[in-house]
Amino acid sequence: MSVVHQLSPGWLLDHLSFINNINYQVHQHHEPCCSRSEPSTSVHLDSMSSFGSSAKFIASDSTTKPENDDGGNCEVFMQQYIFRSELFDITKPYITSAVHKECQQNNENEDLMNGVKKEISISTLGKKRKRCVVFNQGELDAMEYHEKIRGLILDGSSQIIQEGLKSGFLRPLSEKRDKCNEPIALPLDTCNLSELCEMAKHLPSLNEMEVLTLQLVENDISVTEQDLFSRIVENNSNFTKMITLMGQKYLVPPKSSFLLSDISCMHPLLNCKKTYDVIVIDPPWQNKSVKRSNRYSYLSPLQIKQIPVPKLAAPNCLVIIWVTNRQKHLRFVKEELYPSWSVEIVAEWHWLKITNSGEFVFPLDSPHKKPYEGLILGRFQEKTALPLRNMLPIPDHKLIVSVPCTLHSHKPPLAEVLKDYIKPDGECLELFARNLQPGWTSWGNEVLKFQHMDYFIALESRS
């Protein structure tokens, strides 16, 4: 369960608990008796005649189980993993409100909202001299939007945070133990998944008419790049599977599936002819900081428009897209992107990021970074679609409040907050995903990124 509290303004989520409530248990062999034989992986094809064009590959360990000195099989034990809790240890705001003193009078704000560019003196903490700033039209639009939702976020989050403090889920900073404010040593990106996807374009491609999935059978499997990039990988078991790719280990949760590829190689997903009742999209939006840092690749609006959502969406599919606070992106989604996909907007929600003590991670009125991001929700409209029944209408301007992960772009889970607005046992798809979820199909060129073993800790094992 990810929902800690549900109130009329929205939800307080526990992202870490959601991850750790996933059954991250792997059947493994004790090292001493298993180290003599290195498993090799082969891919076995189930009867083609029984599946026709829907052939499935079964990935399994082709070696026999190693035996101990008495001739018996090695002892198998259950290894459980949990996500590193320090990656959600946000004890203090990223920027304190003192750095961003308000220096604008109410009448100046009103003038700015009317589109009048003004030179405003901004007093910077610790500096005596003042500098002049001229706002461009994009910044003026952002300020106008902020003023519209500011009260809603302030009032709604106050109720939700107070409930979190009352229940003890959030704790005042004074109650926390003093910790050294040393930076967290994050795992190295030793296996650059996006670069592997780029390399995969040069691998021989499968017949596009074939629908091939790779089913994970054994508990610890090495997979080849071509097997992984050309097929949807499925773990239909009740336990986690561990796969090895280019020497790196990743955990695949139970009842999950994924396709590792870039936007030019989505055909395995499309060839399955499967449609989804929920599609969550977190596009790599273009912005100045991304251009400067080269931290990850981004897509232009035209490229985002070409994502084949209408081919993946079931009738009345709920489409949700994460949007940055740039008004340019918000307008694009509302005025161009959703209409081009035949998606009708039904609501706009807001994700508010807080610390473990309930403070905003950025000052609410910071002129640079805001403590919230947006989600635009819409319904895919198909002419033959039947009207929705037994589903609640989606309310507007709901808040999702949570402590963010320190990992870049690790968004909170939406499955539980969406359950009232989709049919039971609906098919769920996440595009541009960086992690996997049980019951979901995930696609992206970094879809395994946060499933890397280095982000998890092994608990004491049991036989």
Side-chain angles (χ1 to χ4, degrees):
M1 298 288 284
S2 61
V3 174
V4 181
H5 297 294
Q6 181 175 357
L7 289 82
S8 56
W11 303 267
L12 178 62
L13 300 189
D14 185 350
H15 191 170
L16 178 62
S17 288
F18 173 83
I19 299 173
N20 288 335
N21 282 334
I22 296 173
N23 187 20
Y24 278 115
Q25 296 184 82
V26 183
H27 289 94
Q28 292 182 324
H29 302 287
H30 278 302
E31 290 295 330
C33 61
C34 296
S35 58
R36 291 177 298 169
S37 178
E38 286 292 330
S40 61
T41 299
S42 63
V43 179
H44 303 289
L45 180 63
D46 261 2
S47 172
M48 285 288 289
S49 58
S50 63
F51 287 100
S53 63
S54 298
K56 294 188 177 183
F57 279 105
I58 309 297
S60 62
D61 188 347
S62 64
T63 59
T64 58
K65 300 299 180 193
E67 297 182 349
N68 56 26
D69 294 335
D70 298 326
N73 286 339
C74 280
E75 183 182 1
V76 177
F77 68 96
M78 187 74 74
Q79 179 65 67
Q80 184 170 0
Y81 296 89
I82 60 170
F83 203 73
R84 292 173 55 177
S85 60
E86 64 266 30
L87 296 175
F88 284 93
D89 191 18
I90 312 295
T91 57
K92 295 180 180 180
Y94 302 143
I95 300 177
T96 60
S97 56
V99 176
H100 297 286
K101 288 185 176 181
E102 291 189 12
C103 61
Q104 299 168 241
Q105 301 299 321
N106 289 335
N107 59 341
E108 289 178 330
N109 276 330
E110 290 174 5
D111 289 340
L112 285 171
M113 293 312 107
N114 291 330
V116 179
K117 293 187 178 181
K118 278 181 171 285
E119 290 190 355
I120 300 173
S121 297
I122 296 180
S123 177
T124 306
L125 187 68
K127 294 184 179 180
K128 293 183 179 180
R129 66 186 183 89
K130 297 180 179 180
R131 59 189 178 91
C132 292
V133 175
V134 177
F135 293 100
N136 60 37
Q137 189 58 49
E139 291 167 330
L140 294 173
D141 292 343
M143 292 168 71
E144 182 178 5
Y145 175 78
H146 176 70
E147 284 301 314
K148 286 180 181 178
I149 65 171
R150 183 184 187 278
L152 177 143
I153 288 177
L154 202 56
D155 296 340
S157 64
S158 176
Q159 295 180 49
I160 295 171
I161 291 169
Q162 284 303 316
E163 194 68 23
L165 290 168
K166 196 185 302 181
S167 68
F169 174 72
L170 301 174
R171 296 185 180 182
L173 195 59
S174 58
E175 293 184 14
K176 291 183 175 288
R177 293 178 298 173
D178 291 333
K179 294 182 179 180
C180 297
N181 292 324
E182 296 180 359
I184 298 172
L186 297 178
L188 295 174
D189 189 9
T190 49
C191 183
N192 194 316
L193 297 172
S194 58
E195 287 186 6
L196 286 179
C197 289
E198 189 66 28
M199 291 167 54
K201 294 178 183 179
H202 306 290
L203 294 173
S205 60
L206 296 172
N207 184 340
E208 290 199 5
M209 297 306 294
E210 281 188 304
V211 180
L212 295 170
T213 59
L214 181 67
Q215 292 191 357
L216 303 180
V217 176
E218 294 299 318
N219 301 307
D220 192 346
I221 305 163
S222 294
V223 292
T224 67
E225 295 76 44
Q226 186 168 2
D227 288 336
L228 201 62
F229 295 127
S230 58
R231 300 175 179 88
I232 295 176
V233 181
E234 296 179 347
N235 176 13
N236 293 321
S237 75
N238 293 318
F239 293 94
T240 293
K241 306 293 184 183
M242 187 184 296
I243 64 172
T244 303
L245 175 65
M246 300 287 286
Q248 302 298 310
K249 291 185 178 292
Y250 301 89
L251 294 175
V252 181
K255 308 298 182 184
S256 67
S257 59
F258 69 90
L259 173 63
L260 175 63
S261 77
D262 71 6
I263 198 169
S264 67
C265 302
M266 293 183 71
H267 54 269
L269 193 62
L270 297 168
N271 288 347
C272 285
K273 306 298 182 185
K274 186 176 181 179
T275 57
Y276 298 88
D277 302 291
V278 180
I279 300 178
V280 176
I281 311 168
D282 186 15
W285 294 104
Q286 180 179 346
N287 60 57
K288 291 178 181 177
S289 63
V290 170
K291 279 185 176 181
R292 286 195 299 264
S293 66
N294 289 323
R295 182 166 47 186
Y296 60 86
S297 58
Y298 57 84
L299 296 182
S300 68
L302 179 60
Q303 289 173 307
I304 294 173
K305 221 173 185 179
Q306 292 171 344
I307 299 169
V309 167
K311 293 181 180 179
L312 297 167
N316 295 313
C317 170
L318 180 58
V319 180
I320 303 159
I321 191 163
W322 290 93
V323 192
T324 67
N325 290 315
R326 286 194 68 186
Q327 294 306 295
K328 179 181 177 181
H329 296 154
L330 282 167
R331 282 196 302 269
F332 168 70
V333 171
K334 295 177 181 179
E335 298 172 10
E336 294 185 50
L337 185 62
Y338 273 12
S340 73
W341 288 343
S342 300
V343 173
E344 180 183 353
I345 295 173
V346 294
E348 184 174 348
W349 289 0
H350 313 278
W351 173 36
L352 181 66
K353 294 170 268 190
I354 60 170
T355 67
N356 301 114
S357 57
E359 297 179 88
F360 297 164
V361 295
F362 292 106
L364 183 58
D365 297 316
S366 165
H368 304 294
K369 289 195 174 182
K370 295 289 190 288
Y372 57 81
E373 293 184 36
L375 301 87
I376 309 296
L377 294 80
R379 290 277 186 196
F380 176 62
Q381 302 297 310
E382 196 176 57
K383 292 179 181 179
T384 58
L386 297 174
L388 290 169
R389 293 180 181 178
N390 303 322
M391 268 188 273
L392 296 174
I394 299 177
D396 201 10
H397 292 298
K398 283 282 190 177
L399 297 182
I400 296 172
V401 182
S402 72
V403 177
C405 184
T406 57
L407 301 173
H408 175 69
S409 198
H410 198 357
K411 298 294 197 300
L414 300 177
E416 196 174 346
V417 302
L418 296 176
K419 64 181 181 181
D420 291 334
Y421 313 115
I422 58 175
K423 67 181 185 181
D425 302 318
E427 296 286 347
C428 304
L429 172 68
E430 183 174 7
L431 301 179
F432 302 101
R434 292 184 170 191
N435 63 287
L436 308 180
Q437 298 182 61
W440 286 65
T441 299
S442 305
W443 166 83
N445 66 352
E446 292 187 308
V447 73
L448 293 175
K449 186 178 180 69
F450 299 144
Q451 302 302 133
H452 195 284
M453 284 288 297
D454 284 351
Y455 293 116
F456 292 83
I457 295 172
L459 298 182
E460 185 176 348
S461 61
R462 63 181 189 276
S463 300

